[in-house]
Amino acid sequence: MSIYKFNVKTIDQKEISLSEYQGKVLLIVNTASECGLASQLEGLQELHQNYQDKGFSVLGFPSNQFMNQEPLEGQEIAAFCATQYGVEFPLFDKIMVNGETAHPLYHYLVNETKGKKIKWNYTKFLIGRDGEIIERFGSLTTPEKIEDSIVEALSTSV
């Protein structure tokens, strides 16, 4: 089992398979533009930019599940992230990350990390080149603190 079996919608509503990212190291993050942690978008973009040529990508999944901190939709989200934080990494359709209505990808991510529900925005999942979860990081773990784990994952072949 890996993340490659899941389909997701891009921010502009195109359905894609996560198998398009096969062989890459990924950092999957639930984002929200009005969250006090939104400044992490800058650090996430920096990681994406610094390591994309080595086979790394950040994948952002906006969610309005925590205190309605993502009121924007689709291209509004993309424009905000690009304008305010220089985000160029892929953003996907706004989803739920907890509960019965959670996106199947997030059901999988939560179940594979001891079933602990997502507590807040900017929870991060580091995915290896094989599509399996390497590590889960809480909301307060800044992108800079994950860099060593990303470098290590990038040095591992499939």
Side-chain angles (χ1 to χ4, degrees), residues 52-99:
Q52 66 182 343
D53 292 342
K54 293 175 175 63
F56 172 75
S57 186
V58 174
L59 305 181
F61 287 86
S63 179
N64 196 36
Q65 197 159 8
F66 302 102
M67 295 183 64
N68 300 313
Q69 293 185 342
E70 186 49 85
L72 303 176
E73 297 292 335
Q75 288 304 315
E76 294 174 314
I77 295 170
F80 172 85
C81 291
T83 307
Q84 297 298 311
Y85 297 103
V87 168
E88 295 176 350
F89 59 79
L91 292 169
F92 294 86
D93 192 28
K94 192 158 69 170
I95 61 167
M96 299 294 270
V97 297
N98 282 327

Side-chain angles (χ1 to χ4, degrees), residues 2-158:
S2 77
I3 64 154
Y4 300 141
K5 74 172 197 146
F6 296 99
N7 290 335
V8 294
K9 283 188 181 174
T10 63
I11 199 89
D12 52 1
Q13 300 298 302
K14 294 179 185 150
E15 188 159 322
I16 66 161
S17 169
L18 287 178
S19 65
E20 290 187 24
Y21 294 96
Q22 198 156 358
K24 290 189 172 208
V25 172
L26 303 171
L27 190 64
I28 296 176
V29 186
N30 61 307
T31 65
S33 60
E34 292 188 5
C35 178
L37 301 174
S39 62
Q40 286 190 24
L41 288 166
E42 192 172 347
L44 292 167
Q45 173 57 32
E46 192 172 312
L47 288 174
H48 178 78
Q49 189 171 327
N50 290 346
Y51 297 103
Q52 66 182 343
D53 292 342
K54 293 175 175 63
F56 172 75
S57 186
V58 174
L59 305 181
F61 287 86
S63 179
N64 196 36
Q65 197 159 8
F66 302 102
M67 295 183 64
N68 300 313
Q69 293 185 342
E70 186 49 85
L72 303 176
E73 297 292 335
Q75 288 304 315
E76 294 174 314
I77 295 170
F80 172 85
C81 291
T83 307
Q84 297 298 311
Y85 297 103
V87 168
E88 295 176 350
F89 59 79
L91 292 169
F92 294 86
D93 192 28
K94 192 158 69 170
I95 61 167
M96 299 294 270
V97 297
N98 282 327
E100 294 294 317
T101 58
H103 189 282
L105 170 64
Y106 269 81
H107 273 298
Y108 169 77
L109 293 172
V110 167
N111 288 338
E112 293 296 308
T113 55
K114 301 180 183 167
K116 295 186 336 189
K117 74 177 199 169
I118 309 266
K119 290 184 182 174
W120 201 249
N121 303 306
Y122 296 92
T123 298
K124 301 155 199 76
F125 295 88
L126 183 60
I127 310 297
R129 292 184 189 273
D130 58 1
E132 302 210 6
I133 301 165
I134 295 173
E135 197 168 351
R136 176 177 170 164
F137 301 93
S139 299
L140 297 178
T141 303
T142 62
E144 299 76 22
K145 291 182 180 172
I146 299 172
E147 189 166 10
D148 288 346
S149 297
I150 292 167
V151 169
E152 184 177 334
L154 286 168
S155 69
T156 306
S157 60
V158 182

